[in-house]
């Protein structure tokens, strides 16, 4: 698993945790606030794009080669 895919999995796990357990947890007089869901959604989108780019690069997308003759494209 690539680094971007691992980060994406971590962010998705955090989102799942917030959705299942709530944004904040209170125990006695202490309160723990988790990351903002909107921020995690933005990170998820960013990491998904990075993971897709890494996968495309690993597949070896075909490259376009252009030949020029006397300054004009063929």
């Amino acid at each position: 698993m690539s680094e971007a895919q691992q980060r994406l999995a971590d962010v998705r796990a955090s989102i799942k945790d917030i959705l299942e357990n709530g944004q904040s947890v209170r125990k006695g007089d202490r309160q723990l606030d988790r990351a903002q869901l909107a921020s995690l959604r933005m990170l998820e989108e960013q990491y998904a794009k990075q993971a897709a780019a890494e996968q495309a690069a690993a597949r070896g997308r075909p490259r376009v080669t252009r030949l020029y003759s006397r300054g004009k494209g063929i």
Side-chain angles (χ1 to χ4, degrees), residues 2-73:
S2 72
E3 185 178 341
Q5 290 173 335
Q6 181 61 46
R7 288 184 301 205
L8 180 59
D10 292 342
V11 168
R12 287 183 173 160
S14 297
I15 290 172
K16 180 180 177 187
D17 187 44
I18 288 175
L19 293 175
E20 290 176 353
N21 300 319
Q23 186 71 41
S24 61
V25 176
R26 180 172 286 263
K27 190 169 192 173
D29 62 343
R30 294 180 146 185
Q31 181 172 342
L32 171 67
D33 292 322
R34 295 188 173 101
Q36 296 293 321
L37 189 58
S39 298
L40 289 174
R41 293 287 187 192
M42 290 188 326
L43 281 174
E44 180 184 30
E45 181 181 346
Q46 177 184 351
Y47 292 156
K49 287 179 184 177
Q50 288 177 357
E54 284 181 359
Q55 287 177 348
R59 281 193 306 263
R61 291 172 48 188
R63 293 188 176 122
V64 175
T65 303
R66 295 182 185 200
L67 303 174
Y68 295 94
S69 173
R70 297 183 202 155
K72 297 180 181 180

